[in-house]
Structures are given as structure tokens and as C-alpha cells.
Amino acid sequence: MEPIRETLKRVVNAPAFSERYNDMRKEVLEHPGVQKFLEDHSADIDKSIVDKGLGKLYEYINQSHDCNKCPSLGNCINTLKGFEPNLVLERGNIGIAYTPCRLKNEHDNKRRASSMIHSMYMPKEVLQATFSDFEPDARRMEAFLAAGDFLEKATGPDNLPEKGLFLYGKFGVGKSYLLSAMANELAEMGVKTVLVFVPEFMREMKQAIGDQTLQEKVDYVKKADVLMLDDIGAEAMSSWTRDEVLGTILHYRMAERLPTFMTSNFSYSELQHHLTYSQRGEKEDLKAARVMERIRALTIPVKLDGPNRRN
């Protein structure tokens, strides 16, 4: 049997192998990334180091750089999915260090941002809202500019304008969408936002009395960095949900100067009328006025108009 050393020598010295080796070496050394690396380390690298590290250099050039060969993060071709190779010189040897690629960074940023938004009963499609997809026509421009003004003044969780917006108008004009777009922008700043679909939330609060989670849920909502109450006025408001749930949340946020946003089909005056009458038909002007006083203190009213975009 031929010794392994002799076998290797015979294979390496074969014309076909030598030709393939030279072609590979030429391909490696002509790669822009390799050329830059060798230029940056010209004082420390000689031919012997290049020859010894040729395998690493070849591994480097056959991977994706700046995601140029990857259609998506899931289809990453690199040795470590989501990480791109970088040539390094370690103790006189050429090696590869891997760092998160652009697509992975974008993916991780989106995950971090989404963790900043807690939704309670909001539709998933609304939560994907972006400002770029919001069409600020003449009847919606005021609301668009007001939202932009809030975001321009907000620089992070410790620096937020005290007053939010009260967006009102008929069905389907984009009130909930605009709120969600704002929540996504705030998430990019590291601001935690809680979005609440009020009718469903009030129904759950009634059930929470039985399972003894009422106080926990109310506390979670009222202490949010930014609170967005969607579709207030659409619920069948009882005296208890108005005074003990909504009133408690709004009083806390007013006292702590925490920004609060609301959407409604009602204007301020129409909402006050809605809050005045309990499910039993009782008229409670003073209690409704007390809740509306807090809403006015917390928000700036802005009307949205236009066609129903849900049709």
C-alpha cells in the first residue's frame, strides 16, 4: 500500500490538480474583499501566510457579503445563517470572524420594536401600519401633521410630550391605522406603547372581577409609557366601567402626565353625551363631565374625515 504522504504528493503534483489550485488562487486573490484585507495588512502578511490561509480566503469569497447573495434572512447561504464573514489576522494566521448581517440586524430591530408594543384585541393588520402607507389627503392632513409633531418632539421614553391626540371621525377614515403607525414609530425609539380596543377591554374587565385579575390589568394599562385607547364610545358603558375603570386609568395618567391617545366616532361633546347615560338609562351628568375633564386634559382633539377606506 502506498504511504499517505506519497499519495498526497502525487495528487498535488498532478497537472490537473495544479491547474485547479492556480485557478482557485487567482480567483481568491482577485476578490475585492481579499485585496482590501491584504492591503490593510500588507506589513504583516507574506506569501507563505496567504498560501497557508488560502482555504479560509476561499471560504470567505464564496459567502454572501452585505446580503448580496441572499434574497432573505431565511435563505441565507452563509455558513452561519444571518452572519457575514470578515477576514481577520490572528497570530500570523488568516481567519474568519462572523458578525450579524444587515438582514439579521433589520430582523432583530423589528423584533425589538414589536416587543415594545403590547396590543389588547387590536387587529393584526392594523398593527403593521406605517406612515408611508398613510395617505394624508386634505381631509386627513391635520391629523397626519399632529401625529408627526408629537413624534418630532418625542426623543425617547424619558422625553415625551404630555398630551396625546383625540382622533375622531366616522368609520373607516384611518383613525386606528394612524395610532398604530405612531406606535410603531415610538417603538423604534424604545418607547413602550399599549394599544387597547376599548369595547373588548371593557368586556374583559367585567370578567376580571370574577378571576381577581381586575386590578392587575387596570394597573398594566394605566402605567404604560404611552397608552392608546381605540374606539372609545363604541362600548356599552356602564357606570362602573366609566367611573371605576376608565375614570381610574385617566385620573392616574393625568396625575402622572403620561401621554394618552384615543380614537372615537364621537367628538368631545358627543362623547360626553354618550358617557352621561348608563346602560340602565340613568342620566349622570356630573360623572360624565368628570371623565370628559380628564380626556380634555390628556388629549388634543383632531378630526379625520374622508371616504370609508375599509370598503
Side-chain angles (χ1 to χ4, degrees):
M1 180 181 291
E2 184 180 33
I4 187 66
R5 185 174 298 174
E6 294 301 318
T7 303
L8 290 173
K9 185 186 296 184
R10 179 169 52 79
V11 171
V12 168
N13 290 331
F17 178 88
S18 180
E19 185 178 343
R20 287 198 304 272
Y21 177 84
N22 289 331
D23 288 343
M24 182 190 76
R25 193 175 194 281
K26 183 174 183 292
E27 180 187 0
V28 165
L29 296 179
E30 287 179 350
H31 189 278
V34 173
Q35 289 183 348
K36 185 177 186 310
F37 172 75
L38 295 178
E39 182 181 338
D40 291 344
H41 296 84
S42 58
D44 304 306
I45 293 179
D46 57 22
K47 182 178 179 299
S48 64
I49 292 176
V50 171
D51 289 341
K52 190 165 57 173
L54 203 59
K56 287 292 182 183
L57 294 173
Y58 189 72
E59 178 185 338
Y60 169 80
I61 71 168
N62 279 284
Q63 297 191 69
S64 177
H65 304 275
D66 194 30
C67 306
N68 62 344
K69 298 178 183 177
C70 302
S72 66
L73 182 60
N75 293 310
C76 179
I77 67 166
N78 287 354
T79 303
L80 294 176
K81 283 188 180 296
F83 292 81
E84 62 182 348
N86 299 280
L87 292 171
V88 294
L89 188 64
E90 300 173 321
R91 299 177 182 177
N93 293 306
I94 295 172
I96 295 178
Y98 286 89
T99 56
C101 69
R102 174 174 52 82
L103 290 177
K104 179 168 173 56
N105 283 329
E106 290 173 1
H107 173 75
D108 290 347
N109 288 338
K110 286 180 181 177
R111 287 188 62 184
R112 277 193 293 271
S114 65
S115 71
M116 291 289 174
I117 302 174
H118 182 77
S119 164
M120 301 178 76
Y121 326 110
M122 295 288 286
K124 287 184 179 179
E125 60 271 18
V126 173
L127 294 175
Q128 297 170 354
T130 63
F131 268 91
S132 60
D133 290 331
F134 185 86
E135 299 174 12
D137 54 36
R139 290 178 287 184
R140 306 202 301 169
M141 181 60 76
E142 183 183 1
F144 182 79
L145 293 176
D149 183 61
F150 181 93
L151 292 171
E152 188 175 338
K153 292 175 181 175
T155 58
D158 298 323
N159 187 21
L160 296 168
E162 292 180 13
K163 276 200 171 189
L165 304 176
F166 181 88
L167 304 175
Y168 68 99
K170 57 188 180 182
F171 295 102
V173 294
K175 303 183 298 295
S176 302
Y177 190 96
L178 186 56
L179 275 196
S180 296
M182 291 190 71
N184 286 321
E185 291 289 330
L186 289 167
E188 295 289 340
M189 303 178 197
V191 178
K192 291 184 178 179
T193 301
V194 175
L195 290 97
V196 179
F197 181 60
V198 173
E200 191 61 40
F201 176 70
M202 291 305 181
R203 278 192 287 272
E204 182 171 321
M205 290 306 97
K206 294 173 185 177
Q207 296 173 1
I209 299 173
D211 61 23
Q212 299 181 339
T213 61
L214 175 65
Q215 193 60 50
E216 177 187 346
K217 290 173 180 175
V218 170
D219 285 348
Y220 181 80
V221 170
K222 77 181 186 183
K223 294 178 180 180
D225 288 349
V226 174
L227 176 62
M228 296 182 173
L229 299 173
D230 187 48
D231 217 1
I232 188 168
E235 72 292 335
M237 187 73 74
S238 68
S239 297
W240 178 77
T241 53
R242 179 195 61 203
D243 302 331
E244 302 303 322
V245 180
L246 182 61
T248 297
I249 291 169
L250 297 180
H251 178 75
Y252 180 88
R253 298 190 68 78
M254 185 175 68
E256 296 297 321
R257 299 181 178 181
L258 297 171
T260 307
F261 292 78
M262 302 178 196
T263 73
S264 182
N265 297 130
F266 297 141
S267 64
Y268 274 168
S269 60
E270 291 167 335
L271 181 59
Q272 181 160 344
H273 178 78
H274 169 76
L275 295 173
T276 297
Y277 293 90
S278 70
Q279 285 177 309
R280 298 178 180 178
E282 300 166 332
K283 189 177 181 182
E284 299 176 322
D285 295 286
L286 185 60
K287 291 182 178 179
R290 186 179 296 121
V291 172
M292 283 308 304
E293 180 185 9
R294 293 164 183 167
I295 291 175
R296 287 187 173 94
L298 285 165
T299 61
I300 300 167
V302 183
K303 185 176 182 179
L304 270 79
D305 206 348
N308 189 332
R309 294 166 187 267
R310 293 175 185 167
N311 296 334

